[in-house]
Amino acid sequence: HNGVVFLGGPGLDSDQGQTSTRSAFLAFDYNGAFLGQSAMEDIDGYTVTDVRRWLVYDDVLYCGVAILDPATGKTRGAILRWYGDMADPFKFHIVGFTANEAGEICEHNGRLYAGGWPTDNLPVAAIFEGPVVPEGGLTPENATEWDIKWMMSQYETNPMNLRMEQCSMLRSYKGKLYWSMWYVQYAIVASLSMANISISTPKGIAFILASMRQATLWRTDDFSDVELLYGEENLPGYDWQTGEIIQPRPNAGGYKPLYGRAGMGRYFTSYIWASEEYNGHLYFGTMSPEACIE
């Protein structure tokens, strides 16, 4: 944006991006010349610990990040606006606070929306709505004007699963806001170990079938009515208190999928991460760890 190319993510001290205490931002010019680096340790008094999506809207650059709140010592999220230039590329200010890490960000009907990743501040993924973007873009005065519009707990019934489900795609298309929630399927082995269950036993297989989740796809216009496009009407689970398998029961919001089952009908569709509009249609890119599991 304006001649500057950014590259960013969690710092080298991170554990797959989950326990990072700092971030790594790199800046280049449009010819590839290195402009500098920053750990973003003091953005309006907060330390940035991760950065994910970037968005240019109305000629203003924004990005969704995770920040460490010095008042609580917990990780939460924020929307940053870039005020820098090639001479000072790391000049950002917070224009939105979110209770989750702002893992996804997009514009929809004149507002910015963020898709959350669970944090110790709010261990349930959520969708956040910002105020109407004023002329000239969001400013720090808008930072506290972000609201939770939807939470994964309105669908998921298993508390352990809630901590491992997060927003993986956010897209405005033909007047509707689409988002997907993904489940860290490869964590199922660690979950088995935590439950002290062998994968080679009937209970181990039952645990996998009860705990495994696939990507869900959602749609709304203004959150007055939320549609589940691909998902499960009934969800099984595992009771960590009793060690018993929970038989399928209606999802928390009573949603019925409009088009099909979670994962778009494929059991190992872990996430929908990429989306793109082309020739009047919306396309999705998915990931399946099926080959790894086999």
Side-chain angles (χ1 to χ4, degrees), residues 2 44 56 61-62 98 101 108 118 141-142 150 157 163 193 204 210-211 217 242 247 253 263 294:
N2 292 345
D44 298 334
V56 175
L61 176 63
Y62 303 93
T98 56
E101 173 175 355
H108 174 66
E141 285 69 32
N142 302 120
W150 184 89
T157 57
R163 296 193 66 92
S193 178
S211 302
L217 185 62
T242 65
Q247 296 300 311
E294 289 176 351

Side-chain angles (χ1 to χ4, degrees), residues 95-153:
V95 296
F97 285 109
T98 56
N100 290 150
E101 173 175 355
E104 299 291 322
I105 180 175
C106 80
E107 179 274 331
H108 174 66
N109 292 343
R111 298 175 184 264
L112 297 193
Y113 288 82
W117 287 20
T119 63
D120 46 5
N121 183 66
L122 178 64
V124 179
I127 303 296
F128 301 88
E129 179 187 77
V132 174
V133 178
E135 184 176 355
L138 296 174
T139 69
E141 285 69 32
N142 302 120
T144 59
E145 299 175 5
W146 289 68
D147 299 316
I148 294 176
K149 301 301 291 185
W150 184 89
M151 299 179 70
M152 192 59 180
S153 54

Side-chain angles (χ1 to χ4, degrees), residues 156-158 161 206-214 232-239 245-251 261 267:
E156 179 60 64
T157 57
N158 191 339
N161 287 57
F207 177 92
I208 293 172
L209 293 173
S211 302
M212 186 78 83
R213 297 290 188 263
Q214 299 76 34
E232 298 296 326
E233 183 176 353
N234 298 294
L235 296 170
Y238 177 75
D239 190 324
I245 303 298
I246 300 172
Q247 296 300 311
R249 59 188 180 187
N251 64 63
R261 300 194 67 177
Y267 185 76

Side-chain angles (χ1 to χ4, degrees), residues 173-174 178 276-283:
Y173 173 70
K174 293 186 176 180
Y178 290 76
E276 190 63 55
E277 182 178 355
Y278 179 72
N279 279 351
H281 296 280
L282 186 59
Y283 293 83

